[in-house]
Amino acid sequence: MQFRDLKKQYDVLKEEIDAGINDVITNTSFISGRQVEELEKELAEYVGVKHCVTCANGTDALSMALMAWDLKEGECAFVPDFTFFASGETVAFEGATPVFVDVDQQTYNMDPVKLEEAILKVKKEGKLVPRVIVTVDLFGLPADYEAIRTIADKYGLKILEDGAQGFGGEINGKRACSFGDISTTSFFPAKPLGCYGDGGAIFTDDDEADAYLRSIRVHGKGSFKYDNVRIGWNSRLDTLQAAILLPKLHAFIKYERDAVNKAAARYTELLGDAVVTPVVGEKYISSWAQYCIQLKDEAERDALQAYLKEQGIPTMIYYPKPMHCQEAFAGMVFDEDEFQVSDRLCRTVLELPMHPYLEEEEISFIAQHILDFIKKNRA
C-alpha cells in the first residue's frame, strides 16, 4: 500500500505521459517549450485568473510573489503557525519578519480572529510595518477568505495565497489559487497536481505583477534573452515537467478530484465516531492533499502510527513541530499561549493514505484497523 500511489496514477496515464515526454525529447525543446505556455494557459483558465507564471518550485513561487511586492526588512507578513516551513521561510528570506498566527482546530487554516489580534499587536508595538497576509490552504481546504479578505482590506494588507496543497479546492464555486492578490501552488510529486520533480506556479490578475514575474524568473530579462533590466534569478519549469503535468491536469479535472472527495467521505463515514475527522463547510470543496485525523493525545497518535505500520499501512505526521518552535526562528520571542491549537495539533494529528486511486477495499482495511486499535486502546 502506498501513502500516495503515483505508480498507479502513472499506469493509468502512461500512454499520454509517455507520448508527452517523447515529444519533448524528439523536438529537444527542453527549456521554455510550447508545453509550458500551453500549461500556463490551461492552469489560468481552470483557476479563473488572467495570468499563470510557472516556475521551478513552490518555494520560488512564494519568494517571487513577495519580491513583486518588494517586501523588505522592517516589514512583516502574517503566517499560519501550523504549516510547512516554506510559508514563513520565504518571508524571512526577503529580510522581513514572519509573524505567526494560530490556526482553527477544525480546518487547520489560519484563524481570522487570531489574525486580527496579531495585526493589532504588531501595530501597537510599532516595531514592524504590516504588509502581507500569507494564507495557506492546508491539506487541500481553502482558508476562510471571506473573513481574511475583510481583515486585509481593513488594514491595507496584501493577501498571498499559498495554495501549494490547495490546488483544486473551491469556495462557492470560486477556485483556490484565485483568492489572493497573488496566489501560488506547488507541483511537488505528492501534491494534488504533481509532476515528476520540482515545479511551481504563480497566479494573478495584475498585469504589472505578471510582467515582473516573467522577467525575474529568467535573470531579470527585458525585451530579449540578453537584455537584463533588473536583478532576477533562474526559476523556470522544465518543458518535460509541463508535458507530464498536462495529462495529469486533464485527469485531475475529469475525475481525480471527485475520486479523492469520495474517498474522504468514506473515511469520515467509517471513522467519524472514533476519531476527530476533517471538517469541510457547505461552501467548500477540498482537493484533499491529505486526510488528517486527530487522536486524543500524542501517546495514542504515536502508538496508532506504529500499529498501522505493522499492518503495512503507511501514515505521515504533518506537522510534528509548529513554525514558532523551528530552530531557524530561535532568535524571535514568542508567547506560547498564543499557539495553543497549533501545539496541540502537532501532538495529535495523523495523516492517512489519500489519492485518487485509493480503492474501497483499502479504505475499509485502513479504517477497520484504526477502529480495532481505538477500541482496544481506550478500553
Side-chain angles (χ1 to χ4, degrees), residues 29 56 63 84 178 184 188 238 244 336 361:
S29 296
S63 288
F84 181 63
S178 70
T184 68
F188 184 78
D238 289 341
I244 291 163
E336 194 66 38
E361 293 77 10

Side-chain angles (χ1 to χ4, degrees), residues 250-283:
H250 301 157
F252 181 85
I253 295 171
K254 187 175 181 180
Y255 64 85
E256 284 191 350
R257 194 192 70 166
D258 290 343
V260 292
N261 273 276
K262 289 179 182 178
R266 185 60 175 148
Y267 266 138
T268 300
E269 179 184 2
L270 295 171
L271 296 173
D273 293 332
V275 296
V276 178
T277 54
V279 174
V280 178
E282 291 183 3
K283 299 178 181 180

Side-chain angles (χ1 to χ4, degrees), residues 144-159:
D144 185 354
Y145 286 101
E146 183 178 356
I148 292 173
R149 175 58 70 182
T150 298
I151 293 168
D153 291 345
K154 181 178 180 179
Y155 296 101
L157 306 180
K158 295 283 192 182
I159 294 178

